Amino acid sequence: MQSLEKTHVALISSPTIGNLVPTVEFAQRLVDRDSRLTATILIVTMSQRRVLNDYIQSRVSTTMSGVNFIPLPVAEPPKPDQYQSSMGYMSLFIAKHKVHVKEAIVKHRFGGLFIDMFCTSMIDVANELGVPCYLYFQSPASFLGFMLHLPTLETQFTSEFTIADTGLLVPKDPTLELDIPSFVNPLPLLVLPSSVLKRTQDGYFWFLQHALRYKETRGLVVNTFKEIEQHAVNSISASNLPPVYTIGPVLDLAGPVQWHPDKAQQGGVMKWLDDQPSSSVVFLCFGSMGSLSSSQLKEIAVGLEQTRIRFLWSIREPPKGKLDLPGEYANLEEILPEGFMERTATLGLVCGWVPQVTILGHQAIGGFVSHCGWNSILESLWYGVPIATWPVYAEQQMNAFQLVKELGLAVELRLDYREGSDLVVAEELERALRRLMDGGGDHLRRKVKEMSDMSRKAVMENGSSYVSLGSLIHKLIAEAA
């Protein structure tokens, strides 16, 4: 007689909204697919992250069949002399939860553990307890390939680069580009994450430490689909590494309209969009951790006014502390050119935080100026909205490079260096928006629509991601038997 016992798996994520949301959605996808599975999210709490805490509370209070939440006891934060970068802080902070994760696994008898890209310290816990451990990578396969290639790059960095007075890596040959197996084309140096280039800080050390441990897991589960990253997936699969499972796009399509406290602004934005023609509005938004300088905001304002294209522009105030998230401006008019709001009153809407995925799904949206976080890219492609790339931090430069140079799915926004500041100037924004929104973008729009169809088919029955998820679940259950 077949056992009716369920296989319990635990998942742990870095305490950022961009990592936690796809982890929770992945957990739900696991249990929805196979009734023999239950999933528990182990929550690492950061008091500074109010939005993160709002999201967690909404999920805890919502009945999600088969998915549970366990907030871990709050660990003591690292001391300032123990880290130099936010990456260093996060890695050390997560590692301090090892004892709590061990207690949770023993108490609840979890039969598997999924960690995200910065939780590799938990591999020690899984090994000690004999629990199968998998990597759940919320970024693209191309970036996973870069991380896996970092140890090889370390040798190249040592022989072909010097370190400038600023602490940045500088190639001895200024024309040097990097060959990364998961990318078709060579990468310019400046496309790499700044933490990798800042060799005098600990960010690079932590990138390398995490990357070295990925191969210790039982499998590499990636929030992507083969049709968009065939080359990257093939390059990783051909290596002597754990098996790769592409199970995306994993998206929270309901989005934060369910839990974000600013309901009034949401309603006003959606009402405004309802009055706009189909595909006529360009949406500018830079993610949960993205904010821009006042000089950059002024350039955007000038560019938008010159194009006369309808726009919805989400502006966030820079975070007050290193570990804080961007906030809301008390008065948006004070930071924009004088009279801008009045002159564009019939053309666009400037606001603070907005529910991005809900906006992208609105029929009025025709283009997206995005920071190129992977979640945002997947959301935009799901709804068939073409992107103009404006990477801000982390691996977003590499994501933008892949979208523009490798896949031809986006318009590139180029920086202009003025008096030591890197800006996207008004003229460049105007050029990109016209290509994105006017007739010149028809070919791009067709390609994005084709990829949108592929993304939806991937997760349908017999789609590439559906089949890959089934293989992963079969392995999970077999290991727990």
Side-chain angles (χ1 to χ4, degrees):
M1 184 176 177
Q2 189 176 9
S3 171
L4 297 178
E5 286 191 12
K6 289 181 178 283
T7 297
H8 301 269
V9 297
L11 303 92
I12 185 166
S13 157
S14 306
T16 65
I17 203 77
N19 287 55
L20 182 60
V21 170
T23 298
V24 174
E25 293 302 315
F26 170 52
Q28 190 65 55
R29 189 167 293 186
L30 283 171
V31 300
D32 285 348
R33 179 68 179 274
D34 198 306
S35 61
R36 294 171 294 175
L37 288 175
T38 62
T40 295
I41 311 296
L42 303 178
I43 300 293
V44 176
T45 302
M46 282 185 70
S47 58
Q48 302 95 330
R49 303 286 170 87
R50 179 191 164 191
V51 170
L52 191 69
N53 297 331
D54 288 340
Y55 168 74
I56 293 167
Q57 288 304 312
S58 75
R59 286 304 200 182
V60 170
S61 62
T62 301
T63 302
M64 295 178 68
S65 175
V67 178
N68 305 300
F69 295 81
I70 298 178
L72 297 171
V74 179
E76 181 183 350
K79 294 180 172 59
D81 61 354
Q82 294 178 315
Y83 64 93
Q84 298 165 301
S85 63
S86 58
M87 170 76 72
Y89 177 92
M90 192 67 71
S91 301
L92 290 168
F93 183 60
I94 291 169
K96 285 175 175 287
H97 290 77
K98 285 167 69 171
V99 63
H100 304 312
V101 171
K102 180 180 178 181
E103 290 171 354
I105 291 175
V106 171
K107 179 180 179 180
H108 299 279
R109 301 174 63 188
F110 294 122
L113 176 66
F114 288 89
I115 61 170
D116 84 355
M117 63 181 76
F118 302 130
C119 292
T120 59
S121 55
M122 298 306 162
I123 295 174
D124 297 332
V125 178
N127 289 343
E128 181 182 347
L129 298 176
V131 173
C133 184
Y134 290 79
L135 174 71
Y136 177 48
F137 202 78
Q138 300 102 329
S139 291
S142 56
F143 184 57
L144 173 59
F146 167 77
M147 293 287 282
L148 293 167
H149 191 64
L150 259 184
T152 302
L153 278 180
E154 169 66 11
T155 304
Q156 185 177 2
F157 288 155
T158 303
S159 62
E160 300 180 33
F161 291 76
T162 59
I163 299 178
D165 293 339
T166 58
L168 289 174
L169 274 177
V170 178
K172 295 175 182 178
D173 177 0
T175 64
L176 180 70
E177 294 183 315
L178 301 173
D179 291 316
I180 311 295
S182 56
F183 287 84
V184 176
N185 299 289
L187 265 66
L189 186 65
L190 291 178
V191 167
L192 270 58
S194 59
S195 293
V196 173
L197 299 176
K198 294 178 180 177
R199 296 300 292 272
T200 56
Q201 293 191 2
D202 63 357
Y204 175 74
F205 166 82
W206 283 109
F207 262 100
L208 187 59
Q209 291 305 301
H210 291 306
L212 285 167
R213 304 211 65 183
Y214 292 166
K215 62 185 178 183
E216 299 178 41
T217 62
R218 300 285 183 93
L220 309 173
V221 184
V222 192
N223 184 12
T224 192
F225 53 105
K226 288 181 181 177
E227 290 79 1
I228 192 172
E229 291 200 282
Q230 190 71 63
H231 174 82
V233 173
N234 288 346
S235 72
I236 298 169
S237 300
S239 306
N240 186 25
L241 293 163
V244 179
Y245 301 92
T246 55
I247 50 82
V250 177
L251 300 171
D252 176 14
L253 295 176
V257 292
Q258 302 177 101
W259 52 266
H260 199 279
D262 194 351
K263 305 290 186 190
Q265 176 163 270
Q266 292 175 29
V269 169
M270 299 309 293
K271 184 178 184 304
W272 182 84
L273 283 173
D274 288 342
D275 294 334
Q276 310 308 313
S278 178
S279 301
S280 67
V281 176
V282 62
F283 176 38
L284 299 90
C285 186
F286 299 93
S288 60
M289 299 175 69
S291 58
L292 302 173
S293 66
S294 58
S295 56
Q296 183 62 85
L297 295 177
K298 289 180 172 61
E299 291 288 336
I300 294 174
V302 173
L304 287 173
E305 194 167 356
Q306 288 174 176
T307 64
R308 305 306 296 171
I309 293 172
R310 289 182 172 85
F311 65 86
L312 172 62
W313 182 14
S314 171
I315 299 179
R316 309 298 305 287
E317 184 179 31
K320 303 225 177 338
K322 287 185 178 180
L323 301 176
D324 295 327
L325 295 175
E328 304 298 328
Y329 282 104
N331 188 342
L332 289 170
E333 291 191 41
E334 291 181 356
I335 62 167
L336 297 173
E338 186 176 354
F340 171 79
M341 302 279 265
E342 291 78 13
R343 292 192 299 273
T344 60
T346 60
L347 194 66
L349 182 64
V350 182
C351 56
W353 180 90
V354 289
Q356 178 179 284
V357 69
T358 305
I359 301 294
L360 288 171
H362 197 283
Q363 58 87 27
I365 299 298
F368 182 27
V369 177
S370 172
H371 66 305
C372 295
W374 189 237
N375 293 326
S376 297
I377 289 171
L378 292 177
E379 290 169 2
S380 197
L381 291 176
W382 181 269
Y383 286 115
V385 178
I387 294 172
T389 61
W390 193 319
V392 179
Y393 53 86
E395 88 284 4
Q396 294 166 5
Q397 289 274 15
M398 299 174 79
N399 296 348
F401 180 88
Q402 180 175 225
L403 276 181
V404 174
K405 303 296 184 184
E406 310 248 304
L407 301 172
L409 290 173
V411 173
E412 182 182 19
L413 275 165
R414 298 169 300 205
L415 295 177
D416 181 57
Y417 296 93
R418 294 184 178 182
E419 299 178 0
S421 298
D422 48 337
L423 293 172
V424 174
V425 296
E427 295 77 14
E428 172 64 10
L429 179 63
E430 181 182 3
R431 178 201 66 82
L433 292 187
R434 292 197 187 285
R435 185 181 166 204
L436 187 70
M437 301 296 289
D438 294 346
D442 285 349
H443 175 68
L444 172 65
R445 203 168 293 277
R446 282 195 300 271
K447 289 194 69 173
V448 171
K449 178 62 169 65
E450 290 170 3
M451 192 57 69
S452 174
D453 294 340
M454 290 181 196
S455 75
R456 291 167 181 252
K457 289 176 181 176
V459 296
M460 294 171 63
E461 189 169 357
N462 298 322
S464 61
S465 295
Y466 183 93
V467 171
S468 188
L469 181 63
S471 298
L472 172 64
I473 291 173
H474 177 79
K475 186 176 180 181
L476 279 173
I477 293 175
E479 285 180 328

